[in-house]
Amino acid sequence: MHYIILSRRSAATASSAPGKMRIATTLSQPATTTTIYSASKTPQPQNNPNSISSQQELSLLSKLHYCKSVSQLKQIHAFIIKTPRSQTHHIYAKKLIYSLLQLNHFLSPPNDKNLNYAHSLVKQWDKPDVYAYNALIQRMSSTSMQSFHLYQEMLIKGIIPDTYTIPFVLKACSHSLALWEGQQIHAHCIKMFFMENVYVNNTLMRLYAVCGMLDVVEKLFEQGPVRDLVSWTTLIQAYLKMGFPIDAVSAFFRMCQANLRPDNMILVVVLSACSKLGDLSLGRKIHEYMVHLKVNVDSDVFLGNALVDMYLKCGEAGFARHMFDKMPVKNVVSWNSMISGLAQQGQFKEALDVFRRMQKVGLKPDDVTLVAVLNSCANLGMLDLGKWVHAYIDKSHLRADGFIGNALVDMYAKSGSIDQAFRVFQAMKLRDVYSYTAMIVGLAMHGEVESALSIFSEMPRTGIKPDEVTFVGVLSACSHAGLVKEGRRYFEDMSKVYNLEPQAEHYGCMVDLLGRAGLISEAQEFIQNMPIAPDAFVWGALLGACKMHAKVEVGESVMEKLLEVEPRKDGAYTLMSNMYSSANRWRDALKWRKAMKERNIKKTPGCSSIEVDGLVHEFRKGEKAHPKVKELYKLLEAMNGHLRNYGNLVHSNGLC
């Protein structure tokens, strides 16, 4: 059907023509109103001059079908209101609602005004049906609980819902975590015998899964009429969400035994379960099963991301990098998986290399990327790159709160810039327990004990409860400052005030505190009264105290205990050998050196690092692999020469 668009000047002429429909619509030109006319054949005049013919009704329905904007729909709605009611009015109403909802479907996010307009049409409709309500409930199910209220409205009007109504109402309940309303729908489903419908059962499982009611999910699954792929996926996701990855994998194998072919979504969930378990063997079996099914990993970036993440968290960084490099399409999650995974494996330099590659391809980092990069900078002492990330955060107008703010505080503290760390901490508007812990631990590392304990005292006033890591920082601060009395009080407050059970790390900190203060006997008694078995950290702290205070005999007995829990670590052997050397017991010192050699235990060489022009250079004892090693040794010899000359000058002048 063709339309003739006339200007305002010809509107008077056109309106006088019989049988032609006038609809005002505004074009892009300001102050110019146009009129759309049907170019179809003029129908015969009716007895009622205001009524319309059947041919015009068909034309009107066609216009509703091809409507391109909400404003046009409203004009047609106005025309229908002015037209005398006929038997086809309910058709217009239904078509108006469907057209409006169809237009709103393409808006992101959906326009609430349009949805409310559609709702008003349904309410004004004399005889609304279940299909109109279903269409409206479907459109509203992802935005709010209005779907539930529409469901109530249906029941009040005596409209019986069907199995298409229920899933969308339950979807709205899931989005809003509305368990109480969902349980009402569940009861209604039982009453109306809807539980035999697999879609209803699956959406009920989903509701209870997101609300954390795993026992109900399992019961619905077992009692379900049919178990399709969605049923299994919901069950497996519920197990994983509630922290039962073994059950998630077990359910996956049961699904495979039921001869159901998994889709890519369920494979992503199972690979995530393997990641949480850290089970490389299991992860490889799942990967092999995918190869057996001829799953095209290259076509699904989410599946590729899950594989990379699984191999990284299972300690197979090399194969994870291989999978990552093979991926034809990488999104920001792909890069984040690689950067975060390498950082978690302690491969900080490699993580930053991947970040630089990400920058070269022009992909914008997100919060997860920046946190992983800051974590790597903190562990490498790369202050310059950390400052660049901080500047990028400010330039991008990102809030330095939450994870980003905590990562910045940690980075500055570990990179030696404790003042800048404190400035970031003070500027944070939203602080959590991790913010306070990072600041307390950082201040403790820098010997700022009073400041660390002062910040700790602020936590109760802000309503933030310290956790176990916070107390490690507090006890370490007390240990370095020799605050025995305060350390004992904080240790007791853990259980009495904050209801936290001390772990091995806290006992180790207390042993270190007592040992540094020279209270060796008290430290031994403290270990004997521990409710848990002392680990290497506890015995190592006592051995270090024995060396500090030359308690060789006690050190010998501590060494025996330490070798029982950690026989292959080089630190204890080195410490014991140095203790004997300090006591001039050279034969005993040599005995421990020989024991290391016989047991093939190599001493970890000392390592220092320096950042120059954004690159970190590491140097180990006896370093010869650095490309500029000759120049470095020449510089060291020159520095030694200057120091010797200065020493000779001081002695010759009688200043020493």
Side-chain angles (χ1 to χ4, degrees):
M1 180 176 294
H2 302 284
Y3 301 105
I4 303 171
I5 302 178
L6 304 178
S7 67
R8 190 203 298 252
R9 291 189 297 274
S10 59
T13 307
S15 63
S16 63
K20 295 186 179 178
M21 180 180 67
R22 184 174 68 182
I23 303 172
T25 182
T26 304
L27 294 180
S28 59
Q29 294 86 348
T32 304
T33 304
T34 63
T35 309
I36 302 178
Y37 295 92
S38 169
S40 60
K41 184 178 178 180
T42 305
Q44 296 298 321
Q46 304 295 316
N47 293 331
N48 187 343
N50 294 323
S51 64
I52 58 175
S53 67
S54 59
Q55 190 171 358
Q56 284 178 309
E57 289 176 349
L58 291 174
S59 174
L60 188 58
L61 289 172
S62 177
K63 287 179 174 63
L64 280 170
H65 182 73
Y66 291 106
C67 221
K68 299 295 184 185
S69 69
V70 176
S71 61
Q72 288 183 7
L73 275 175
K74 288 184 176 180
Q75 292 173 62
I76 296 173
H77 185 199
F79 177 79
I80 294 171
I81 293 171
K82 290 177 65 177
T83 305
R85 290 183 174 274
S86 66
Q87 294 179 348
T88 56
H89 260 69
H90 71 283
I91 300 176
Y92 296 147
K94 184 184 291 188
K95 190 64 181 174
L96 261 172
I97 294 164
Y98 290 162
S99 299
L100 181 59
L101 292 174
Q102 185 65 25
L103 282 171
N104 202 59
H105 176 68
F106 294 103
L107 298 176
S108 182
N111 191 315
D112 288 339
K113 290 183 178 180
N114 294 344
L115 292 174
N116 293 334
Y117 177 39
H119 185 201
S120 69
L121 291 174
V122 173
K123 291 175 72 175
Q124 293 171 15
W125 187 3
D126 292 339
K127 297 179 181 179
D129 56 20
V130 67
Y131 306 108
Y133 270 101
N134 283 353
L136 191 56
I137 287 171
Q138 179 184 358
R139 289 291 183 267
M140 290 185 171
S141 62
S142 300
T143 56
S144 67
M145 281 296 289
Q146 283 183 282
S147 294
F148 181 77
H149 301 312
L150 285 170
Y151 181 76
Q152 291 177 311
E153 190 178 298
M154 285 178 66
L155 299 178
I156 292 170
K157 289 186 176 182
I159 300 171
I160 300 174
D162 58 19
T163 52
Y164 290 96
T165 317
I166 300 297
F168 290 111
V169 180
L170 289 171
K171 180 182 177 184
C173 293
S174 298
H175 277 294
S176 302
L177 298 178
L179 177 61
W180 183 76
E181 290 84 351
Q183 288 173 326
Q184 293 183 68
I185 304 294
H186 188 179
H188 206 177
C189 291
I190 295 172
K191 185 177 179 180
M192 295 188 295
F193 303 102
F194 285 166
M195 295 305 297
E196 295 301 312
N197 185 280
V198 66
Y199 303 109
V200 172
N201 199 66
N202 287 346
T203 47
L204 273 170
M205 286 177 60
R206 173 66 181 163
L207 167 70
Y208 287 112
V210 298
C211 292
M213 300 187 68
L214 184 59
D215 54 337
V216 183
V217 177
E218 292 175 321
K219 186 175 180 180
L220 286 168
F221 178 81
E222 296 299 334
Q223 295 177 353
V226 180
R227 296 171 189 169
D228 62 4
L229 200 58
V230 178
S231 312
W232 286 100
T233 303
T234 306
L235 179 67
I236 293 169
Q237 284 179 322
Y239 280 132
L240 188 60
K241 179 180 181 293
M242 297 301 294
F244 300 102
I246 294 177
D247 296 286
V249 176
S250 176
F252 173 75
F253 287 138
R254 284 165 53 201
M255 186 200 76
C256 296
Q257 290 171 358
N259 294 322
L260 278 173
R261 179 188 173 94
D263 61 6
N264 288 7
M265 180 180 178
I266 201 167
L267 289 171
V268 168
V269 177
V270 175
L271 287 169
S272 298
C274 296
S275 299
K276 288 186 178 295
L277 290 169
D279 192 331
L280 180 60
S281 176
L282 182 60
R284 279 176 171 162
K285 286 181 180 178
I286 301 296
H287 192 183
E288 289 170 2
Y289 181 63
M290 290 165 55
V291 174
H292 173 71
L293 293 177
K294 298 181 179 178
V295 176
N296 187 3
V297 178
D298 293 342
S299 64
D300 191 333
V301 67
F302 302 104
L303 195 55
N305 293 344
L307 276 169
V308 169
D309 183 67
M310 183 273 292
Y311 279 112
L312 278 167
K313 288 182 178 175
C314 292
E316 192 62 50
F319 196 77
R321 186 184 285 268
H322 169 71
M323 293 294 302
F324 177 78
D325 291 336
K326 278 178 56 181
M327 291 174 66
V329 178
K330 303 180 183 74
N331 58 15
V332 68
V333 178
S334 315
W335 292 94
N336 286 349
S337 297
M338 200 68 211
I339 295 169
S340 301
L342 289 169
Q344 289 168 4
Q345 293 293 320
Q347 301 185 31
F348 304 111
K349 290 180 70 175
E350 291 79 2
L352 294 180
D353 290 340
V354 176
F355 174 64
R356 292 187 181 96
R357 285 175 56 192
M358 179 182 179
Q359 289 180 293
K360 287 180 181 178
V361 300
L363 197 61
K364 185 178 179 180
D366 64 4
D367 294 5
V368 179
T369 322
L370 297 175
V371 169
V373 171
L374 286 170
N375 181 32
S376 299
C377 292
N379 283 278
L380 292 173
M382 293 190 67
L383 184 58
D384 287 346
L385 181 56
K387 286 181 176 178
W388 179 90
V389 174
H390 192 179
Y392 177 86
I393 291 168
D394 292 339
K395 185 178 179 182
S396 302
H397 303 291
L398 297 172
R399 291 181 62 180
D401 284 330
F403 294 114
I404 291 182
N406 298 342
L408 278 170
V409 171
D410 185 60
M411 183 276 297
Y412 279 120
K414 289 181 177 177
S415 300
S417 187
I418 193 64
D419 292 338
Q420 183 62 33
F422 190 66
R423 281 193 287 271
V424 173
F425 176 78
Q426 286 185 311
M428 292 174 67
K429 295 180 180 179
L430 298 174
R431 300 173 191 160
D432 55 18
V433 63
Y434 305 105
S435 316
Y436 279 93
T437 300
M439 196 68 247
I440 291 168
V441 171
L443 288 167
M445 284 193 305
H446 285 79
E448 301 284 346
V449 177
E450 290 185 7
S451 299
L453 298 181
S454 174
I455 288 178
F456 176 75
S457 66
E458 288 180 13
M459 296 183 72
R461 294 196 294 269
T462 59
I464 297 175
K465 180 184 175 182
D467 62 7
E468 291 85 356
V469 183
T470 314
F471 274 100
V472 170
V474 171
L475 293 173
S476 298
C478 293
S479 177
H480 287 291
L483 303 176
V484 177
K485 182 179 178 181
E486 290 81 354
R488 282 174 173 157
R489 188 182 80 247
Y490 288 127
F491 184 79
E492 291 175 358
D493 286 349
M494 277 191 70
S495 54
K496 292 181 179 178
V497 178
Y498 299 101
N499 198 27
L500 295 172
E501 193 69 29
Q503 304 299 315
E505 294 84 358
H506 305 103
Y507 287 104
C509 288
M510 282 302 297
V511 171
D512 185 62
L513 170 64
L514 296 170
R516 284 175 182 266
L519 304 173
I520 304 298
S521 299
E522 195 169 335
Q524 288 179 284
E525 184 180 350
F526 181 83
I527 293 174
Q528 290 174 358
N529 295 327
M530 283 175 56
I532 61 175
D535 63 359
F537 183 68
V538 174
W539 291 120
L542 185 56
L543 185 62
C546 290
K547 180 184 181 301
M548 181 185 297
H549 297 284
K551 300 289 185 180
V552 180
E553 291 75 13
V554 178
E556 289 174 336
S557 63
V558 172
M559 183 64 181
E560 292 176 4
K561 299 289 186 182
L562 186 55
L563 289 178
E564 291 177 6
V565 295
E566 204 174 62
R568 301 294 301 172
K569 290 286 185 177
D570 67 292
Y573 290 88
T574 305
L575 195 59
M576 199 66 205
S577 176
N578 292 341
M579 190 188 305
Y580 281 127
S581 298
S582 300
N584 296 323
R585 292 173 58 173
W586 305 109
R587 290 186 179 180
D588 291 323
L590 185 60
K591 181 182 70 174
W592 284 106
R593 296 285 180 179
K594 286 183 178 179
M596 287 181 66
K597 190 174 182 180
E598 290 170 359
R599 298 171 190 178
N600 199 26
I601 298 173
K602 294 183 178 179
K603 181 176 180 291
T604 304
C607 176
S608 60
S609 62
I610 186 171
E611 182 184 7
V612 179
D613 296 331
L615 292 176
V616 174
H617 300 267
E618 288 187 351
F619 300 95
R620 299 181 184 274
K621 183 180 178 182
E623 177 69 61
K624 293 184 179 179
H626 195 276
K628 294 187 176 181
V629 65
K630 292 183 179 179
E631 292 90 332
L632 290 169
Y633 276 111
K634 283 183 180 179
L635 180 61
L636 286 173
E637 288 177 6
M639 290 173 65
N640 284 331
H642 286 301
L643 289 171
R644 282 194 296 270
N645 292 336
Y646 179 77
N648 293 334
L649 179 63
V650 170
H651 281 287
S652 63
N653 290 334
L655 298 175
C656 186

